[in-house]
Amino acid sequence: MNTWNIGPVTVTRIEEQLGFAGLPPEKYFIGFEREVLERHIGWLAPNHYSHEHDRLITSVHSWLIRTARHTILLDCCGGNHKERSWLPRFHMLDTPFLERLRAAGAAPEEVDMVLCTHLHEDHVGWNTQLKDGRWVPTFPNAKYLFSKKENDYWDPRQNPLTSEHPVRSIVYQDSVLPVIESGQALMLEGSHAIDDHMLVEPAPGHTPGHVILKLAGGGKRALFSGDVMHHVLQVYAPHWNSSFCEMPDEARVTRRRVLEHCAEHGALLFPVHFGAPFVAAISASTRGFAARFVEAD
Ligand SMILES: [Zn+2]
């Protein structure tokens, strides 16, 4: 139901949440143009937009990637019991995310690698869980891959921008720092290969150290885009940034580059926030990019 095959590699969606975006479209996107939404309205409802509420539908999920050698979790959603009073959608959650992971065939002990595309609160939550009043790594046998540039940006000891904003540093303190202190973090600089199938690459813009993951196997390709895009409408309007993009110009350049890569190489796009069925093939023409959703195998 939830698994796509990329040659010998399987990719399974592990859901945390599926529902309304926290903001109306005009606020969710910088530069939102309602005519683009109207042009695609025929197919956007009900999986990607609610007419009745005038809200975009967005998902929050992880990708479980299994190769012959590795069990990898890409992005870690919001997590349970985290103080996020400034973001109601992620505040003090209590979801059965780990049960869903187990049901997909992966116990937390079996995950040997975690990759966070960036360190926003909806991508690092399950890095840790609350045990006896302390935040400890959820995946005891995993190496956690972080971009060094991204880590330096969010570490309040290194960046005054973060230390001066408690809301920014609280996420780092409960979801990133415990992983570093446990010795499980691996800081990546530049590109990084994972076995024969995968390559982590810098994709700055949404955040300074954002990375993407490219996957190739058995003649098939995939690209895990993190928050390079938040909604399928950005395939049609790649100049729209989300209101959470920290570097607007770089975010637009990276988004186009990712879409061009997918179109040119036939790489399936695996975003973290698109609505059902979550995965899309991308094509390019003189009129721009287009998305065709691809159901699970
Ligand atoms: Zn996100």
Side-chain angles (χ1 to χ4, degrees), residues 118 120 122-123 206 227 230 272-273:
H118 63 296
H120 275 159
D122 57 322
H123 296 256
H206 179 62
D227 278 4
H230 286 72
V272 177
H273 297 309

PDB file of all heavy atoms in Angstrom, residues 118 120 122-123 206 227 230 272-273, ligand 1:
ATOM      1  N   HIS A 118      17.057  18.766   6.831  1.00  0.00           N
ATOM      2  CA  HIS A 118      17.372  20.037   7.493  1.00  0.00           C
ATOM      3  C   HIS A 118      16.833  19.953   8.918  1.00  0.00           C
ATOM      4  O   HIS A 118      16.252  18.931   9.297  1.00  0.00           O
ATOM      5  CB  HIS A 118      16.799  21.227   6.710  1.00  0.00           C
ATOM      6  CG  HIS A 118      15.306  21.257   6.600  1.00  0.00           C
ATOM      7  ND1 HIS A 118      14.582  20.291   5.932  1.00  0.00           N
ATOM      8  CD2 HIS A 118      14.375  22.124   7.090  1.00  0.00           C
ATOM      9  CE1 HIS A 118      13.292  20.578   5.992  1.00  0.00           C
ATOM     10  NE2 HIS A 118      13.132  21.683   6.701  1.00  0.00           N
ATOM     11  N   HIS A 120      14.567  21.867  10.737  1.00  0.00           N
ATOM     12  CA  HIS A 120      13.295  22.452  11.187  1.00  0.00           C
ATOM     13  C   HIS A 120      12.541  21.438  12.049  1.00  0.00           C
ATOM     14  O   HIS A 120      12.736  20.222  11.922  1.00  0.00           O
ATOM     15  CB  HIS A 120      12.432  22.848   9.982  1.00  0.00           C
ATOM     16  CG  HIS A 120      12.762  24.208   9.437  1.00  0.00           C
ATOM     17  ND1 HIS A 120      12.439  24.603   8.158  1.00  0.00           N
ATOM     18  CD2 HIS A 120      13.392  25.275  10.003  1.00  0.00           C
ATOM     19  CE1 HIS A 120      12.850  25.854   7.956  1.00  0.00           C
ATOM     20  NE2 HIS A 120      13.430  26.268   9.060  1.00  0.00           N
ATOM     21  N   ASP A 122       9.674  20.060  12.065  1.00  0.00           N
ATOM     22  CA  ASP A 122       8.880  18.969  11.499  1.00  0.00           C
ATOM     23  C   ASP A 122       9.752  17.937  10.767  1.00  0.00           C
ATOM     24  O   ASP A 122       9.218  17.075  10.064  1.00  0.00           O
ATOM     25  CB  ASP A 122       7.794  19.519  10.558  1.00  0.00           C
ATOM     26  CG  ASP A 122       8.364  20.368   9.439  1.00  0.00           C
ATOM     27  OD1 ASP A 122       9.326  21.114   9.683  1.00  0.00           O
ATOM     28  OD2 ASP A 122       7.851  20.287   8.309  1.00  0.00           O
ATOM     29  N   HIS A 123      11.069  18.014  10.962  1.00  0.00           N
ATOM     30  CA  HIS A 123      11.984  17.050  10.325  1.00  0.00           C
ATOM     31  C   HIS A 123      12.926  16.379  11.318  1.00  0.00           C
ATOM     32  O   HIS A 123      13.687  15.492  10.943  1.00  0.00           O
ATOM     33  CB  HIS A 123      12.781  17.735   9.210  1.00  0.00           C
ATOM     34  CG  HIS A 123      11.904  18.215   8.099  1.00  0.00           C
ATOM     35  ND1 HIS A 123      11.801  17.570   6.888  1.00  0.00           N
ATOM     36  CD2 HIS A 123      11.029  19.251   8.053  1.00  0.00           C
ATOM     37  CE1 HIS A 123      10.910  18.197   6.134  1.00  0.00           C
ATOM     38  NE2 HIS A 123      10.426  19.225   6.816  1.00  0.00           N
ATOM     39  N   HIS A 206      15.891  26.584   1.333  1.00  0.00           N
ATOM     40  CA  HIS A 206      14.866  26.503   2.386  1.00  0.00           C
ATOM     41  C   HIS A 206      15.528  26.790   3.735  1.00  0.00           C
ATOM     42  O   HIS A 206      15.012  27.548   4.550  1.00  0.00           O
ATOM     43  CB  HIS A 206      14.205  25.130   2.371  1.00  0.00           C
ATOM     44  CG  HIS A 206      13.160  24.975   3.428  1.00  0.00           C
ATOM     45  ND1 HIS A 206      12.031  25.754   3.473  1.00  0.00           N
ATOM     46  CD2 HIS A 206      13.089  24.145   4.502  1.00  0.00           C
ATOM     47  CE1 HIS A 206      11.308  25.415   4.526  1.00  0.00           C
ATOM     48  NE2 HIS A 206      11.931  24.444   5.167  1.00  0.00           N
ATOM     49  N   ASP A 227      12.324  19.782   2.038  1.00  0.00           N
ATOM     50  CA  ASP A 227      11.436  20.943   1.908  1.00  0.00           C
ATOM     51  C   ASP A 227      11.843  21.875   0.775  1.00  0.00           C
ATOM     52  O   ASP A 227      11.563  23.070   0.815  1.00  0.00           O
ATOM     53  CB  ASP A 227      11.372  21.714   3.226  1.00  0.00           C
ATOM     54  CG  ASP A 227      10.383  21.093   4.200  1.00  0.00           C
ATOM     55  OD1 ASP A 227       9.820  20.033   3.875  1.00  0.00           O
ATOM     56  OD2 ASP A 227      10.179  21.668   5.285  1.00  0.00           O
ATOM     57  N   HIS A 230       6.959  22.268  -0.866  1.00  0.00           N
ATOM     58  CA  HIS A 230       6.014  21.889   0.180  1.00  0.00           C
ATOM     59  C   HIS A 230       4.699  21.351  -0.376  1.00  0.00           C
ATOM     60  O   HIS A 230       3.959  20.663   0.319  1.00  0.00           O
ATOM     61  CB  HIS A 230       5.702  23.094   1.080  1.00  0.00           C
ATOM     62  CG  HIS A 230       6.830  23.444   1.998  1.00  0.00           C
ATOM     63  ND1 HIS A 230       7.991  24.017   1.541  1.00  0.00           N
ATOM     64  CD2 HIS A 230       6.984  23.278   3.323  1.00  0.00           C
ATOM     65  CE1 HIS A 230       8.813  24.194   2.565  1.00  0.00           C
ATOM     66  NE2 HIS A 230       8.233  23.755   3.653  1.00  0.00           N
ATOM     67  N   VAL A 272       8.277  15.530   1.236  1.00  0.00           N
ATOM     68  CA  VAL A 272       7.860  15.185   2.604  1.00  0.00           C
ATOM     69  C   VAL A 272       6.468  15.725   2.935  1.00  0.00           C
ATOM     70  O   VAL A 272       5.842  15.294   3.896  1.00  0.00           O
ATOM     71  CB  VAL A 272       8.907  15.711   3.627  1.00  0.00           C
ATOM     72  CG1 VAL A 272       8.488  15.452   5.059  1.00  0.00           C
ATOM     73  CG2 VAL A 272      10.253  15.038   3.379  1.00  0.00           C
ATOM     74  N   HIS A 273       5.976  16.670   2.116  1.00  0.00           N
ATOM     75  CA  HIS A 273       4.706  17.313   2.500  1.00  0.00           C
ATOM     76  C   HIS A 273       3.602  17.245   1.445  1.00  0.00           C
ATOM     77  O   HIS A 273       2.521  17.787   1.670  1.00  0.00           O
ATOM     78  CB  HIS A 273       4.963  18.779   2.880  1.00  0.00           C
ATOM     79  CG  HIS A 273       5.860  18.956   4.067  1.00  0.00           C
ATOM     80  ND1 HIS A 273       5.657  18.313   5.259  1.00  0.00           N
ATOM     81  CD2 HIS A 273       6.977  19.702   4.245  1.00  0.00           C
ATOM     82  CE1 HIS A 273       6.605  18.662   6.124  1.00  0.00           C
ATOM     83  NE2 HIS A 273       7.426  19.493   5.537  1.00  0.00           N
TER      84      HIS A 273
HETATM   85 ZN    ZN B   1       8.941  20.658   6.519  1.00  0.00          ZN
END
